[in-house]
Amino acid sequence: MCIDVKHLTLKQGNRVILDNINLHIHRGEKIGLIGPNGSGKTTLLKALAGLHAPASGNILLECQCLNSLKPENLAKEVSILLQDQPVDMPLTVRETIELASMTHDLNASVQPPELKTLIDICHLAPLINKPVSSLSGGERQRVFMAQALYQAPAILMLDEPSNHLDVRHIWQLLQYCSHQVETVIASYHDFNLATTMCDRLILLADHEVKADGPPESVLTEKNLRKFFNIHSEKLYDSNGSFWIKVNGAAA
Amino acid sequence: MFRHYSWPLLYLAILFFPASIIAGLALGGVPLPLESLLNILTGEQNSVSDLIITELRMPRVLGAALVGGALGLAGALAQTLFRNPLADPYLLGVANGASLLVVMHIFGWSIVALLPISLSAFIGGLAAFSLVWFCAGGRKGQVYPLTLTLAGVAIAALLSALTTLIMLLGDQRALGPALRWMLGSLSGAELNQLPFLTITLVGSSLLAWHRRRQLDALLMGWNKAQTLGVNIKKERLLWCGVIVLLSATSVALAGAVGFVGLVVPHLTRLLLGASHRYLIPGSVLIGAFLLMWVDILCRTLLAPEELPLGIPMALLAVPLLLSLLRKHHVH
């Protein structure tokens, strides 16, 4: 399932967030959205999930205009883990995850994962009958990630998925998402996490797409200095993989 | 602590329902022995007792069950739709709109005085909701929980002020009946008023049951619910409509009985859980039980005088609301 973004402008009230951007997202890509605070990562994800109406332009999902899709049909293809999870959700963990079965299509080629498998992967077994409102931030994040996965989408969108999660859970869950879902689009603040999880990065800044391509070509020292105001260097290991070392704020 | 026994508790409630109805028929200003009650119900005639049962108590008991069930369900739906534990079905202006037109009827104002009181209440409730919906941005399709709440509060305040003005300027002899209506009473209930409320309650309950998963999704917020395929525009208009219909038909029969819609959903969640597969049948049953027994209390406590329904309801609501407040402080 591919996504086409054509001349898209997104606004928050009268304030322009993203102006006239164009993107093509291919099936099977693992994409990372990076950018300074306020650059429009969350707004773009919400727009791609049908939660934020464009001020102008179009978003096409497999050549169909997103706005013309009924919510129940869109939910069969796209699921999103939002940045802010509802803290007062009174249902239990099991009831909350099972809500995603509303989107299940018995005729779909991709069948949803087993609920028990998801619960085990997300380490939710001890919490299964507790109300979500009684959980910590990290536990809630895992519940809603499990719910997003239980939707069995073709495209999974994650808004800052590492929020509240400890190191073990971040790697385990994000790798599971990458293997389980065909196309993943996620926003990251952690460059090294983005480099490991994604084969393509899109850098958003000043209302535009400033860079789009493999992580090595996007995370240049020049781009990091210009858009994030930091001094950095790339360090390589023997396999040719790299990570970003931040040396301090730029003047 | 009872959540593991949700379904058995519901079945138990259904089993005890006939017992509550019999108690409602037997108890009152004129207590009727159980034996004579059973004789009447099996067809044997006793003119005075028969009149009390069929003309006075049967409409009251059934009316209490229906109004209690309707307001309980409407309250549960309002708290889900608005994601606000203090939401009650009157948040959309229904009670204040109904009160205004009923007061106009009682005080003999304009054409409203010519309409039956229950019809005045119904029309007033629907008109008030239309105004709230319009003010909340309904025409542009941009309605959110906060805008609906604020519009509801604002319109309710306006209608309340107008109602008070009419009561101040009007014939003070009509003040008693007006206040009694506003506090809620089933003393004027008649059997021919019940079918419409019955159809409304049964239809709304079946619809809510059919869409219980969409309602569960709404507990996460409108944005999050939409990501699971819930059509928010359709759902919010549908449930606002259901809440208003349930409230308006209840108010038309029993007056503006307060706190039922606020308290019953909380009691239900406490006993059975927050999922709508328990909340829907639980709110209807517990609402029905609660108002039936409150009505019995109203007509027996100070017999032959009768208390308005709103007074014992308010007294019951206070400890529950304080315990909710305490629970939130602890968290």
Side-chain angles (χ1 to χ4, degrees):
Chain A
M1 178 143 294
C2 63
I3 303 177
D4 269 300
V5 174
K6 296 190 174 193
H7 306 293
L8 183 71
T9 297
L10 298 174
K11 287 184 178 180
Q12 202 83 268
N14 289 329
R15 189 166 68 96
V16 174
I17 306 294
L18 290 170
D19 189 18
N20 196 23
I21 63 165
N22 294 279
L23 291 170
H24 182 81
I25 295 166
H26 303 273
R27 176 184 289 197
E29 284 193 299
K30 309 287 188 253
I31 293 182
L33 296 179
I34 59 170
N37 288 340
S39 57
K41 302 184 294 295
T42 296
T43 312
L44 179 58
L45 283 172
K46 283 185 173 177
L48 295 177
L51 295 178
H52 189 110
S56 64
N58 264 319
I59 301 172
L60 302 171
L61 194 68
E62 285 289 316
C63 303
Q64 265 191 295
C65 184
L66 201 73
N67 287 341
S68 68
L69 286 172
K70 288 184 185 173
E72 52 265 38
N73 292 334
L74 182 60
K76 288 186 170 105
E77 308 297 346
V78 175
S79 76
I80 181 167
L81 174 70
L82 295 167
Q83 203 178 127
D84 299 317
Q85 309 305 341
V87 297
D88 54 355
M89 177 63 164
L91 298 187
T92 63
V93 169
R94 177 184 288 279
E95 287 168 343
T96 302
I97 299 171
E98 280 178 335
L99 278 178
S101 62
M102 281 199 296
T103 65
H104 289 172
D105 182 353
L106 294 171
N107 300 320
S109 54
V110 176
Q111 289 302 310
E114 290 283 330
L115 185 60
K116 190 181 177 313
T117 309
L118 268 179
I119 289 167
D120 291 338
I121 294 279
C122 296
H123 297 103
L124 291 171
L127 308 171
I128 202 70
N129 292 318
K130 289 196 172 184
V132 172
S133 54
S134 68
L135 304 182
S136 70
E139 290 165 342
R140 260 201 310 277
Q141 183 82 336
R142 281 156 33 210
V143 171
F144 286 102
M145 192 174 280
Q147 187 193 67
L149 287 165
Y150 198 49
Q151 259 179 273
I155 302 170
L156 175 65
M157 299 192 197
L158 305 169
D159 194 0
E160 300 191 22
S162 56
N163 269 358
H164 308 296
L165 291 179
D166 58 42
V167 171
R168 174 180 71 145
H169 287 119
I170 291 172
W171 289 96
Q172 207 170 5
L173 292 175
L174 291 182
Q175 279 179 332
Y176 180 78
C177 290
S178 274
H179 290 132
Q180 191 66 24
V181 184
E182 193 177 40
T183 308
V184 179
I185 309 169
S187 68
Y188 294 100
H189 279 310
D190 185 331
F191 303 133
N192 295 317
L193 190 60
T195 305
T196 313
M197 291 296 163
C198 308
D199 39 43
R200 177 182 164 195
L201 293 186
I202 298 171
L203 169 58
L204 300 174
D206 300 330
H207 317 300
E208 292 175 347
V209 175
K210 292 297 188 186
D212 182 354
E216 189 151 11
S217 69
V218 171
L219 293 173
T220 61
E221 286 163 44
K222 184 183 166 194
N223 279 342
L224 294 180
R225 191 171 53 248
K226 187 176 176 189
F227 299 114
F228 294 91
N229 267 338
I230 53 169
H231 291 300
S232 61
E233 56 182 306
K234 274 198 193 118
L235 301 173
Y236 290 85
D237 65 14
S238 53
N239 297 326
S241 303
F242 75 93
W243 68 96
I244 302 291
K245 180 171 176 273
V246 177
N247 290 329
Chain B
M1 68 187 241
F2 298 109
R3 288 175 195 196
H4 296 296
Y5 309 103
S6 300
W7 284 117
L9 277 172
L10 276 169
Y11 295 141
L12 207 63
I14 294 169
L15 281 175
F16 273 109
F17 205 75
S20 296
I21 292 184
I22 290 170
L25 295 175
L27 298 169
V30 176
L32 292 176
L34 194 58
E35 194 189 339
S36 66
L37 176 63
L38 289 172
N39 287 340
I40 292 162
L41 291 174
T42 54
E44 284 187 36
Q45 297 293 311
N46 175 319
S47 60
V48 174
S49 301
D50 183 43
L51 201 71
I52 293 173
I53 295 289
T54 55
E55 298 295 317
L56 297 176
R57 290 193 188 166
M58 185 70 83
R60 281 192 84 129
V61 169
L62 295 179
L66 289 169
V67 169
L71 289 177
L73 178 61
L77 294 173
Q79 288 173 10
T80 295
L81 189 67
F82 292 99
R83 289 187 74 224
N84 182 343
L86 293 180
D88 88 357
Y90 298 155
L91 199 60
L92 297 170
V94 170
N96 298 86
S99 296
L100 177 61
L101 254 66
V102 164
V103 161
M104 285 169 75
H105 170 95
I106 291 172
F107 282 82
W109 273 53
S110 73
I111 195 171
V112 179
L114 302 173
L115 298 172
I117 199 167
S118 54
L119 186 60
S120 307
F122 189 75
I123 292 170
L126 291 187
F129 167 67
S130 307
L131 193 55
V132 167
W133 186 261
F134 176 77
C135 291
R139 273 188 65 200
K140 296 176 199 167
Q142 290 166 7
V143 176
Y144 304 102
L146 184 60
T147 56
L148 261 180
T149 306
L150 287 173
V153 168
I155 299 299
L158 172 67
L159 296 174
S160 179
L162 290 172
T163 307
T164 309
L165 185 65
I166 293 171
M167 285 160 67
L168 276 173
L169 296 177
D171 184 348
Q172 296 303 295
R173 285 172 298 179
L175 204 59
L179 283 173
R180 189 162 277 279
W181 186 90
M182 286 164 73
L183 286 171
S185 173
L186 284 157
S187 58
E190 293 170 8
L191 279 174
N192 60 13
Q193 292 175 308
L194 303 185
F196 186 60
L197 181 52
T198 308
I199 293 167
T200 303
L201 178 58
V202 170
S204 302
S205 304
L206 289 173
L207 180 65
W209 179 257
H210 175 65
R211 300 193 74 75
R212 62 192 181 279
R213 295 205 316 168
Q214 283 78 2
L215 287 166
D216 276 347
L218 284 173
L219 291 172
M220 299 187 296
W222 289 10
N223 255 1
K224 194 79 186 86
Q226 189 174 330
T227 68
L228 290 184
V230 176
N231 188 327
I232 293 301
K233 281 185 186 168
K234 194 168 101 175
E235 295 293 319
R236 70 180 166 217
L237 187 58
L238 174 68
W239 298 118
C240 279
V242 169
I243 291 165
V244 167
L245 200 57
L246 286 168
S247 312
T249 44
S250 300
V251 163
L253 181 62
V257 187
F259 295 107
V260 178
L262 175 61
V263 159
V264 165
H266 287 291
L267 275 173
T268 310
R269 280 187 211 99
L270 209 64
L271 291 171
L272 303 174
S275 172
H276 286 79
R277 67 187 152 158
Y278 310 124
L279 194 62
I280 293 161
S283 296
V284 172
L285 281 171
I286 291 176
F289 269 123
L290 184 65
L291 207 60
M292 278 199 288
W293 284 97
V294 165
D295 184 55
I296 291 170
L297 196 70
C298 286
R299 49 192 161 89
T300 54
L301 200 65
L302 298 175
E305 292 299 321
E306 202 176 291
L307 279 175
L309 292 167
I311 294 174
M313 271 313 309
L315 292 173
L316 280 171
V318 164
L320 179 72
L321 292 173
L322 287 177
S323 75
L324 275 177
L325 181 68
R326 193 164 163 270
K327 186 176 141 190
H328 277 284
H329 271 311
V330 165
H331 277 252

